[in-house]
Every structure is written in structure tokens, then in C-alpha cells.
Amino acid sequence: MLMKRWVLMVLFAGWTLIGSAQQADSVQQRIDSLQHALHEMKMNELLLRNALDESGRDAREDSLRKAEQKHRIDSLRQVTPGVPLVIEGDTLLYIYASLGGEDAAHRVESVARKVTQIGKSLKLTTDSMHIFESEYTADVMCGEVVLIRVSDLDGLWNGMSRHELAEQQMRILSVEIEKLHADYGLKAKLTGLGWAVFLIVVQLLLFLLTARFVRYLRRLVIDGLNVKPLVVKGYELMNVHQEKRILLLLTRVLQIFLVVVQLFISLPLLFSIFPETEKFTWNMINYVWSPLRDMVISFVRYFPNIVKIIVIVYVVRWVLKGLHHLSDEISVGHLKIDRFYQDWAEPTYHIIRIFIIAFTVVVIWPLLPGSESGVFKGVSIFVAALFSLGSTTTIGNLISGIIITYMRPFLVGDYVRIGEQEGEVVEKNAFITRLKDIKGNVVTVPNNSILSQQTINFTAAVRDGKGSVVHSVFTFTYHVPRETVEAYLLEGAARTELIEKSPKPFVLYTALEDFYTRYEINGYTKATDKLFMVYSELHKNIVDVFHEHNLDPTSSHFIKVQEVK
């Protein structure tokens, strides 16, 4: 029993020892497991700390990099204005950065084209707009069409995130598309077409009313208007028929004026209905308004100069009137100046008048609008060149006319011979002199040629008192007594009525030829405007006297020639 107890005790002790050993092993295993887990936790902690350190460093670096980009963009924004997105004259937004190989200008061009195409499409409604977020961009879309892509760099340029910038641009583009659709959409087109038809109908009615009104005025002028002839100081300037023709012409002018005014109002209204033709409307208005505006502005700007020009012209006008009155007084002989002939008065007045007008032009020239412009100067130089190159003969005749005026070789009414031309002076001006010959023809002689030819004034001798001498040459053989020939010649001259009796006619022996004597009968006449009649009458009377006395006025030389035949 005791043995059994000891055996049991030993077994129990052994079992206990075995259990203690196993328990100890289990504890050790647990300790080892815990130590391993702790080691792993420490490793994970180290890894986490390392990861956190790297993440914080990246975040700090990214933050520093973004701050540096923002600072650089802020600096660039001051010198880079960006490319504006302009649609229908409105600036909607600015794009600064490039994206996907497209620079800012091409991005703006693409956005403008898409927005304009969608806004002007002939649809009753437009597609809704939304933002599609991708990995690198936020796309502003209208239906399936991408209007604009917004990157992070775009956000930095605008000082906000790309999503915020995309929302802002979506609102702006949405408003612009709705505005374009309201102006260019199908509804707007139909409304504009209705207004256009209405305006055209109204304008046609106005044309009909204007035509009826003008026809009423014309019937009133023709049938019902009591018109009297226009008489001024007893002279009828216009009769009733002429006045009515002028009034009818004025009705036509009134009709044209009313039609032009109506078109000037209706056409701009018609073109302004549709946005596509609205610019043409303003251009058409500017074509008329701009010249009128420029004229008004120029008039206001040059009004002081206009007042100066008016004063100068008014003073010069009265000075010329005074000189003209003085010239008239000298011409009629009321005012006499020593050694100043009456016929000098009018040409002298014209010469002084030319110089005064030229001086006035020189004074007024700088006061004219645009006188300092290159075009004005070019035109003046061109005119001066034409005048100097094309008026050499004219200037020569003018100077010759002035010289002739003050040399006084003849006056109007004198009978003169200029070169081979002979006749009465009927006109003398600054450039030409006109003669009326014995056949009634009017011969024009340039003043420049008068100075280079011999001029004989037959009337000047009449003004001196005796008159002009007419003469004719006759020849007789030596066997005819000199006294006989002289008596017959004097008798023929005495029979001529237009030859003065005092001083008496006289005979000159001008030559003693080989076979005959040359006689010249001379007589004074004051009928210088009828010299051809004086010569004709003198020759006729002398021939009659010779025939009455059976005397043939033929030279021996001539007789000898007849005898040879």
C-alpha cells in the first residue's frame, strides 16, 4: 500500500515535472512569439516612420514646389497679359498656359470656335453643361463636346484649383452660349424675319404715300397755284411757265429727299434686326455720319480762322471797290493826274487788283483747313508746276499786253497796221488784240507778236491835228512835162472828198529812172477808218483826169515791152 502510494507520488511528481516542463516550454514559446511580434511591430514602426518621413518630405517638397510655381506665375502675370477669349466683342476670360501641345492662342481659338458654333446653331434649346474630371484635367463640356480643358497649371495662373476654375469658366461660357442662342437661334431668326417683313411693308406704304403727296403737289402747281411773273425793275426774269417748271422740279427734288430720308431710317432698322447684318448697319451709318461729324468738328475747330478770312476778304473787297471807283473817275476825266493817261486807268486797276488778290491769297492760305497737310502742299506744288510749265506763252502775252498798254502804240478805235494785218482796233486786253479789217473780218493778234513786228497807227496823226497822209505812185516818160503831171495829180486829189483841203495835197518826185520819172501824190485825210475808200476814190479820180486830158500814165519801159510783142 505504501509502495503504491510512493509509486503514485513518484508518478505524480514525474507528471508534475513533465507538466511543469511542458508548461515552461509553452511559456517560452509564448515569450518567443511575443518577442517576435514585438520585433515585427518595431520593424513596422520603423517602416511607418520611414514612410511618414518620406511622405512628409514629399509633401513639403511639393508644397515648396507649388509655392515656387505660384511665385513665378505671379511674376509672369505682371508681364504676360494672357490671351483673351473674345466673342461678339465681349472678353469672357483669359488663358495663360499651354496644354497638350497647344499654346494659349490656339486654345482660345478652339474655344471661341466651339462656343460660337454651339451658340449660333439653329436649335430650339442647347445641351446642358457639366464638368468631367480626369486624372490631369477638368473638362468643361456641353453635351458631348469638350469646350475647354482646365489643368492644374491653369488653376495656378488664376489663383485657384482646377475644379474651381472649371466651374467658374463653365458659368461664363454657359451665359455666353445662352446669349448667342437668344440672338442667333431659330426663334430669333423667325422673330427677326417677321419684323423684317413688317418694316418692308411699312416702307412700301410710305413710298406710296410719298408718291401720292408729290402728285398732289404737282397738280396743285399745274392747275390751282396762282403764280405771277417775276419782274425786277421792269425786267421779266421769269415768266409763269418758267416758274411752274422750277416748282415742278422742286417737287421732284422733294420726293427724292423724302425717299432718301426714309431709306436712311428704314434700311439701318432692317439690317439691325439680324446680328449678322448689324455691323453693316453701323458701317452704313458711319459712311454718312462720319463725314458730317468731321465737317462739324473741322468747322468748330477752324471757326476763328474762318472769321479772320471773312474779315480779310471784306476789307479787300472794299479796298478794290475804292480803287475801281478811282479808276472810273480817271477814265472819264473827272480826276486828272499829270503824265497819267486816261486809258491807263483800267489796266492799272487790273494790275493792282491782281497783286492785291495774290497778297490776299498768301495771307489767307495758312488759315485754310488742311493747309499744313502733305496732300494740300502736294496739290499746290502740282498746280504751280502746271502753271509754270504750261503758261509760258500766256505769261509772255500778259507781259507784252502790259508793255503795250503803257507804250500806247494804239488805242481801241484806231486804224493800224500790225505786220501784214491792217484794220480797226476793236478790242485790246491783257493777252490779245483784235482788228477788224476792210472786209469785216476780225483778226486776233497775240500781244507777244505785236512787240516783235512793226506797228503803224494811222489814227494817231488825226489826233495830232493834220491827219494821216495817203499817197500813191505814178510814173511818166520824160517827154511828158513835169508841170502837167503835177497839175493832173493835184486835180485828182482835189476831187477826192475824203482828202483834206488844208493842208493842201502835194506831189513828190521820188525817183528818176532810166526811162521815166516816179511821181508820188500825197494828201491828208482824217477818215483813217476808211483808208481803203480814200485810196479807191483817189485812184479813180486821177485816172479820170488823165483820160480827160488824153494822157496815158504808162512808163516808156512798159510801152517798149508792148511794142516788142
Side-chain angles (χ1 to χ4, degrees):
M1 191 68 179
L2 181 62
M3 186 62 135
K4 187 178 180 180
R5 184 179 295 177
W6 277 103
V7 171
L8 290 173
M9 289 178 63
V10 171
L11 289 173
F12 180 76
W15 179 257
T16 302
L17 290 174
I18 292 172
S20 299
Q22 289 179 352
Q23 187 176 3
D25 291 339
S26 176
V27 171
Q28 186 64 38
Q29 288 178 356
R30 288 181 179 178
I31 292 172
D32 292 340
S33 176
L34 290 173
Q35 288 180 350
H36 182 70
L38 180 61
H39 181 71
E40 287 183 354
M41 291 177 65
K42 288 182 179 181
M43 288 297 295
N44 289 332
E45 182 182 3
L46 290 175
L47 291 175
L48 289 172
R49 286 182 179 180
N50 188 25
L52 288 173
D53 291 341
E54 290 180 357
S55 177
R57 184 171 59 253
D58 291 341
R60 288 192 300 271
E61 290 179 356
D62 186 62
S63 177
L64 292 174
R65 184 169 60 254
K66 289 184 178 180
E68 183 180 358
Q69 287 180 348
K70 186 176 183 303
H71 177 71
R72 186 164 59 250
I73 287 173
D74 291 338
S75 301
L76 289 174
R77 190 182 289 112
Q78 297 178 0
V79 296
T80 305
V83 181
L85 174 61
V86 181
I87 299 178
E88 297 291 323
D90 296 332
T91 302
L92 304 181
L93 51 89
Y94 290 85
I95 295 180
Y96 299 89
S98 302
L99 179 64
E102 285 187 335
D103 57 8
H106 286 85
R107 293 180 64 190
V108 165
E109 182 180 354
S110 176
V111 175
R113 184 178 65 255
K114 294 176 182 178
V115 171
T116 303
Q117 183 178 0
I118 294 174
K120 293 184 178 181
S121 61
L122 296 177
K123 295 181 179 179
L124 292 176
T125 59
T126 58
D127 297 331
S128 60
M129 297 184 65
H130 61 280
I131 297 175
F132 175 76
E133 288 284 354
S134 64
E135 184 177 359
Y136 299 105
T137 61
D139 300 339
V140 178
M141 304 185 67
C142 181
E144 299 297 328
V145 179
V146 178
L147 297 181
I148 186 171
R149 283 191 167 93
V150 182
S151 65
D152 292 331
L153 189 57
D154 292 324
L156 286 176
W157 272 98
N158 290 273
M160 59 184 72
S161 66
R162 72 184 186 189
H163 185 76
E164 293 173 345
L165 180 60
E167 289 182 346
Q168 181 186 25
Q169 292 182 351
M170 183 181 69
R171 290 191 298 270
I172 295 173
L173 296 180
S174 177
V175 172
E176 184 63 22
I177 289 175
E178 292 296 332
K179 180 181 176 181
L180 290 175
H181 190 71
D183 293 336
Y184 294 91
L186 181 59
K187 182 178 179 181
K189 289 291 188 294
L190 295 175
T191 305
L193 183 61
W195 280 109
V197 172
F198 174 75
L199 282 176
I200 292 173
V201 171
V202 171
Q203 184 58 68
L204 292 176
L205 290 176
L206 289 176
F207 284 161
L208 292 176
L209 292 176
T210 302
R212 288 188 177 183
F213 175 68
V214 172
R215 283 198 297 268
Y216 168 75
L217 291 179
R218 293 178 66 85
R219 286 196 301 268
L220 182 63
V221 170
I222 295 173
D223 300 330
L225 188 62
N226 186 15
V227 181
K228 296 182 180 180
L230 181 60
V231 179
V232 177
K233 295 182 179 180
Y235 176 73
E236 186 178 75
L237 294 177
M238 286 188 295
N239 54 33
V240 175
H241 180 67
Q242 291 172 335
E243 289 180 352
K244 288 191 174 183
R245 288 184 60 185
I246 293 175
L247 291 175
L248 292 176
L249 178 62
L250 290 178
T251 58
R252 290 297 184 189
V253 173
L254 178 62
Q255 182 179 10
I256 295 173
F257 174 75
L258 292 176
V259 170
V260 170
V261 171
Q262 292 170 14
L263 292 176
F264 185 74
I265 296 174
S266 61
L267 286 180
L269 290 176
L270 181 62
F271 287 115
S272 63
I273 292 175
F274 301 99
E276 292 86 352
T277 58
E278 188 174 2
K279 292 182 179 179
F280 175 75
T281 302
W282 292 110
N283 290 335
M284 185 171 61
I285 293 176
N286 285 331
Y287 290 153
V288 179
W289 170 248
S290 295
L292 295 177
R293 180 193 59 193
D294 294 340
M295 289 174 61
V296 172
I297 293 174
S298 300
F299 178 79
V300 173
R301 184 179 300 170
Y302 288 100
F303 183 75
N305 290 343
I306 293 174
V307 174
K308 293 179 184 178
I309 293 173
I310 293 174
V311 172
I312 293 173
V313 171
Y314 186 78
V315 172
V316 171
R317 181 169 173 267
W318 280 103
V319 170
L320 292 177
K321 280 188 174 182
L323 292 175
H324 190 263
H325 175 72
L326 184 64
S327 171
D328 292 339
E329 292 294 309
I330 296 175
S331 298
V332 298
H334 294 165
L335 177 62
K336 295 183 179 180
I337 301 176
D338 292 340
R339 299 182 181 179
F340 192 90
Y341 299 98
Q342 294 180 6
D343 55 291
W344 285 0
E346 185 175 356
T348 303
Y349 163 72
H350 288 295
I351 293 172
I352 296 175
R353 180 172 176 267
I354 291 173
F355 280 105
I356 290 177
I357 293 175
F359 177 76
T360 304
V361 171
V362 171
V363 174
I364 291 177
W365 190 270
L367 302 177
L368 295 176
S371 59
E372 299 297 329
S373 64
V375 176
F376 204 97
K377 294 178 181 178
V379 172
S380 61
I381 293 173
F382 178 73
V383 172
L386 287 179
F387 183 78
S388 60
L389 295 176
S391 61
T392 305
T393 304
T394 304
I395 296 299
N397 286 326
L398 177 61
I399 296 174
S400 299
I402 295 174
I403 295 174
I404 291 172
T405 298
Y406 290 97
M407 285 178 58
R408 302 180 78 242
F410 50 79
L411 302 176
V412 175
D414 290 356
Y415 193 86
V416 298
R417 180 185 295 148
I418 301 175
E420 297 180 356
Q421 304 296 331
E422 183 176 323
E424 179 186 357
V425 179
V426 294
E427 182 183 354
K428 183 180 68 170
N429 56 40
F431 299 99
I432 53 96
T433 298
R434 287 190 173 91
L435 306 179
K436 187 175 183 181
D437 61 12
I438 59 175
K439 296 181 179 180
N441 301 320
V442 177
V443 181
T444 300
V445 182
N447 287 337
N448 197 18
S449 65
I450 295 177
L451 293 179
S452 61
Q453 299 184 75
Q454 184 181 19
T455 301
I456 301 175
N457 190 341
F458 298 101
T459 309
V462 177
R463 284 196 294 269
D464 293 339
K466 291 183 179 181
S468 179
V469 175
V470 294
H471 62 279
S472 187
V473 177
F474 297 88
T475 59
F476 290 90
T477 57
Y478 288 108
H479 70 275
V480 180
R482 173 185 61 79
E483 295 82 359
T484 302
V485 175
E486 183 175 356
Y488 293 164
L489 291 174
L490 291 175
E491 184 179 352
R495 292 183 183 183
T496 306
E497 296 182 357
L498 296 178
I499 292 181
E500 299 293 322
K501 301 301 184 287
S502 178
K504 294 180 179 182
F506 57 94
V507 177
L508 297 178
Y509 303 90
T510 57
L512 299 175
E513 303 294 344
D514 293 339
F515 305 102
Y516 54 85
T517 304
R518 188 183 300 275
Y519 300 90
E520 183 182 88
I521 179 64
N522 296 270
Y524 293 92
T525 180
K526 294 183 178 180
T528 54
D529 57 336
K530 300 178 181 179
L531 284 180
F532 64 97
M533 293 295 297
V534 175
Y535 277 104
S536 176
E537 189 71 17
L538 175 63
H539 294 159
K540 182 182 69 171
N541 292 332
I542 291 176
V543 170
D544 290 343
V545 171
F546 288 159
H547 287 173
E548 290 173 2
H549 295 86
N550 297 320
L551 183 63
D552 185 10
T554 306
S555 65
S556 58
H557 183 67
F558 184 80
I559 293 173
K560 186 179 290 186
V561 172
Q562 289 217 352
E563 290 176 354
V564 171
K565 287 185 177 180

